[in-house]
Amino acid sequence: MKKKYGILFLLVLVYLINGICSINAISVTFDEGAHFSYGIRILKGRPARVDPENDNSKMPISALNALPRAVEQLFSKNLKKDDGGVSDIVKGRYLTLLFSVLIIILVFVWSRDLYGINAGLFSAFLFVCCPNNMANAILVTTDTYSVFFLLATMYFLWRYANSRAMKDFIFFTIFLAFSQLVKQSLFHLYVLAPVCLLVYALVMREKIKGWALLKKIVITAMVSLLIINAGFLFYDMTVPVGNYHFRSNLFLKVQQLLPGGLPIPFSRAFTEGLDLAKYYDDLGGGLPNSSMSNVTVLGQSFTGSGIWYYYLVSIFFKTPITFLILLVWAVSIKIKKESFNQFIKNEFFLTAPILYFLILLSFFYKSQAGIRHIIFIYPLIFIFCGIIIKYARGKKDKGLLLILGLLLLMSVGQYFNNYHPYTNEFIGHKKNAYQYVGAGNINLGQAGYFIQDYLKEHPEVRYAPKEPKAGKFIISVDNYLDTWNTGEYQWLRKLKPVADVHYSYLLFEVQSKDIDP
């Protein structure tokens, strides 16, 4: 048994070493500065959303990333830096990486509980090798935190459904509440969790006791009120609904239905965050006053709207082929080997969040800015794939698993230190990746240092000018696709790239004949 946990330790160690290498290799991404800034304001006791466009999706969890700078300032009262916050953000990334280790442990524990310790190690290995999770585990954003809190909430919900132990219920309510300090989309857990419990009760033919149910609803509400308001520092509490200046259509309609003097029992910063997130999502991307750029996928660009197949396409091309094969394998085993009741008892709590958020984000959200907004589905898939180890038999199955594991390492390894633009082998030449998965899945601003080094090594190459000119040029994928509708670089968009540069930029060799009228 000690050897098995030794393997888990080695997986965590490899994960940390890989993450530390990436932390110092990539440049500050587009939205890390805003998340870090809000984290500082939380530590200073100022959670108000003073800049709606930048603050709308920022959450108190980012205070963790600001802790290294806070500690520095504590010991050096007059400390000042002139690097624009870059060094502080880089140090803050270590907190996200350390926190993401909890995801590995939870993936291991849930898979072990379902299918055994070997399955737990297998699921943990898959998570450690996931490029989409690695890309976000080193950033000062809320995406990795959302992975953990959704996973922890569903884990204890599953345990509670099967045990009915008060301890599991309390842990569930605590993680449900803390998830509201991480990402606004996790507010949907208040819908998803009751639905899961209801389906479980109906299939398992459990009796629903009214008084016990009411008691648990009250406990959930009280825990949520306490933790959410504490996370927002009890800032501006119980503001009457009529005193809010909501922006989203949903919140404006609710405001009209409620009495103006009715106090909202949450911090203003929490309530306004939900409203602003909904408003900017309704607005869509690519507009001058939007907080998001155009949605781009399969060679198409959408201003002010999303497209229903965005995440399906993103998942298909940005998920290692090994994972796709393992998922099909796991589903086939589940169908052949186990009953529907067993599925509801166990895997339903893994699959329900995947289906719920896929439908929600595909059909009811316009803010489709990359697979990072739905990366919390991957650990659920990896846990489910643990069933393969439970039923794997003979040299044939073990040989296939070995081959798939080696292919996974080869596929992901070529993106070492720059995992964000990862695409699988269904895409041929990587210079064409932008045509399939769009800008948000390829460039987040993380390749800045790589590009600087490239330009030093290739002095004949320059950044693309805005006016037609012959020469060798590079341009970021988002600028080439004009995701903000600026109209710049239109002359270059008529040409095709000859190569990609570190997967996030495109290289053009422009001849005089290419720009002649």
Side-chain angles (χ1 to χ4, degrees):
M1 188 64 72
K2 289 183 179 179
K3 290 182 179 179
K4 301 293 175 83
Y5 286 100
I7 294 173
L8 179 63
F9 173 79
L10 288 176
L11 287 173
V12 170
L13 183 62
V14 169
Y15 182 80
L16 288 173
I17 292 172
N18 179 51
I20 290 170
C21 291
S22 297
I23 280 175
N24 294 282
I26 66 171
S27 51
V28 174
T29 59
F30 295 147
D31 52 357
E32 282 186 285
H35 284 284
F36 185 81
S37 176
Y38 193 72
I40 290 176
R41 281 153 50 194
I42 289 290
L43 291 181
K44 290 183 176 181
R46 302 200 301 264
R49 300 187 184 277
V50 295
D51 183 356
E53 186 174 333
N54 286 318
D55 290 350
N56 69 87
S57 63
K58 311 309 178 285
M59 299 296 276
I61 194 70
S62 295
L64 290 179
N65 299 107
L67 284 176
R69 175 55 194 266
V71 172
E72 275 190 287
Q73 201 73 44
L74 184 65
F75 288 100
S76 302
K77 299 293 185 183
N78 299 318
L79 177 64
K80 292 184 179 180
K81 298 184 179 182
D82 57 1
D83 63 354
V86 172
S87 62
D88 292 331
I89 290 173
V90 170
K91 291 175 183 176
R93 288 171 172 174
Y94 287 94
L95 273 296
T96 311
L97 179 63
L98 288 172
F99 196 94
S100 65
V101 171
L102 297 176
I103 305 173
I104 302 176
I105 295 172
L106 188 51
V107 166
F108 166 78
V109 169
W110 197 346
S111 183
R112 180 202 63 188
D113 291 352
L114 283 171
Y115 313 116
I117 192 167
N118 289 335
L121 292 173
F122 179 66
S123 297
F125 167 75
L126 296 181
F127 180 84
V128 167
C129 296
C130 180
N132 297 303
N133 280 294
M134 283 192 287
N136 290 278
I138 56 169
L139 299 182
V140 179
T141 62
T142 59
D143 296 312
T144 289
Y145 296 123
S146 72
V147 173
F148 172 77
F149 281 100
L150 181 139
L151 192 64
T153 302
M154 295 306 299
Y155 172 68
F156 284 104
L157 182 67
W158 166 71
R159 285 183 55 125
Y160 168 69
N162 285 281
S163 70
R164 295 300 171 180
M166 181 57 71
K167 177 182 69 173
D168 292 328
F169 176 76
I170 293 299
F171 274 114
F172 157 69
T173 59
I174 289 173
F175 280 109
L176 175 65
F178 270 111
S179 69
Q180 307 310 305
L181 306 179
V182 174
K183 205 172 186 69
Q184 279 110 341
S185 60
L186 296 189
F187 189 80
H188 286 276
L189 288 173
Y190 286 106
V191 176
L192 178 61
V195 169
C196 287
L197 288 177
L198 178 61
V199 171
Y200 182 92
L202 291 174
V203 174
M204 297 299 171
R205 298 180 180 179
E206 290 186 347
K207 292 183 179 180
I208 299 175
K209 299 178 182 179
W211 176 247
L213 176 63
L214 179 61
K215 182 172 70 173
K216 288 182 171 60
I217 290 174
V218 171
I219 292 174
T220 302
M222 295 303 293
V223 171
S224 292
L225 279 169
L226 176 61
I227 291 178
I228 292 172
N229 288 323
F232 284 94
L233 309 176
F234 299 100
Y235 163 78
D236 216 358
M237 293 284 298
T238 62
V239 176
V241 67
N243 289 8
Y244 278 90
H245 300 285
F246 292 129
R247 297 189 177 197
S248 68
N249 292 329
L250 174 63
F251 277 70
L252 286 171
K253 289 178 180 178
V254 172
Q255 188 178 41
Q256 292 173 358
L257 294 173
L258 296 176
L262 180 68
I264 295 180
F266 292 104
S267 164
R268 178 191 283 269
F270 173 71
T271 308
E272 287 183 340
L274 291 174
D275 171 54
L276 289 172
K278 182 61 178 170
Y279 169 74
Y280 281 107
D281 180 68
D282 288 343
L283 194 62
L287 301 173
N289 55 342
S290 173
S291 62
M292 305 294 292
S293 59
N294 278 351
V295 174
T296 54
V297 66
L298 292 183
Q300 295 181 291
S301 185
F302 303 89
T303 299
S305 68
I307 187 68
W308 69 268
Y309 52 76
Y310 179 85
Y311 287 106
L312 294 177
V313 171
S314 298
I315 290 169
F316 181 76
F317 287 114
K318 284 186 66 66
T319 300
I321 294 175
T322 290
F323 293 164
L324 298 176
I325 294 173
L326 290 173
L327 179 59
V328 173
W329 190 355
V331 170
S332 65
I333 288 175
K334 188 64 187 178
I335 293 172
K336 293 177 182 178
K337 302 288 187 179
E338 297 187 355
S339 67
F340 179 71
N341 276 21
Q342 285 178 298
F343 167 75
I344 294 297
K345 187 177 181 180
N346 294 316
E347 288 83 8
F348 176 66
F349 291 88
L350 296 171
T351 56
I354 297 173
L355 295 175
Y356 181 90
F357 282 102
L358 266 178
I359 294 171
L360 178 75
L361 297 178
S362 297
F363 293 95
F364 301 99
Y365 269 63
K366 299 178 183 178
S367 302
Q368 298 171 336
I371 203 172
R372 62 196 177 97
H373 287 175
I374 200 169
I375 58 167
F376 42 66
I377 70 171
Y378 282 104
L380 299 165
I381 292 173
F382 301 151
I383 294 167
F384 181 52
C385 287
I387 197 173
I388 295 172
I389 303 302
K390 178 181 177 181
Y391 287 99
R393 296 290 183 271
K395 293 182 179 180
K396 184 178 179 181
D397 286 347
K398 293 178 181 178
L400 180 56
L401 286 171
L402 178 60
I403 292 171
L404 289 174
L406 291 174
L407 290 175
L408 172 63
L409 294 175
M410 292 171 59
S411 178
V412 176
Q414 59 188 310
Y415 286 82
F416 178 65
N417 281 346
N418 187 23
Y419 296 106
H420 180 77
Y422 173 85
T423 52
N424 62 31
E425 288 68 35
F426 286 133
I427 292 178
H429 199 295
K430 299 304 180 181
K431 71 177 181 180
N432 299 317
Y434 73 92
Q435 296 179 341
Y436 295 89
V437 298
N441 280 314
I442 292 181
N443 185 39
L444 200 61
Q446 83 290 341
Y449 298 147
F450 303 131
I451 298 303
Q452 290 177 14
D453 292 340
Y454 176 85
L455 291 175
K456 288 179 182 178
E457 295 169 3
H458 300 82
E460 76 281 6
V461 180
R462 291 165 291 169
Y463 286 110
K466 295 180 181 179
E467 300 297 329
K469 191 174 183 180
K472 291 184 177 181
F473 306 113
I474 59 169
I475 186 173
S476 65
V477 166
D478 45 303
N479 280 332
Y480 180 65
L481 292 177
D482 195 19
T483 58
W484 283 102
N485 298 317
T486 64
E488 299 172 338
Y489 306 106
Q490 288 296 323
W491 69 276
L492 195 58
R493 295 189 67 189
K494 300 175 183 177
L495 307 177
K496 296 296 182 182
V498 297
D500 68 273
V501 180
H502 294 288
Y503 307 109
S504 298
Y505 278 65
L506 302 173
L507 175 65
F508 291 82
E509 295 181 358
V510 183
Q511 307 294 328
S512 297
K513 62 180 181 179
D514 295 326
I515 57 177
D516 288 339

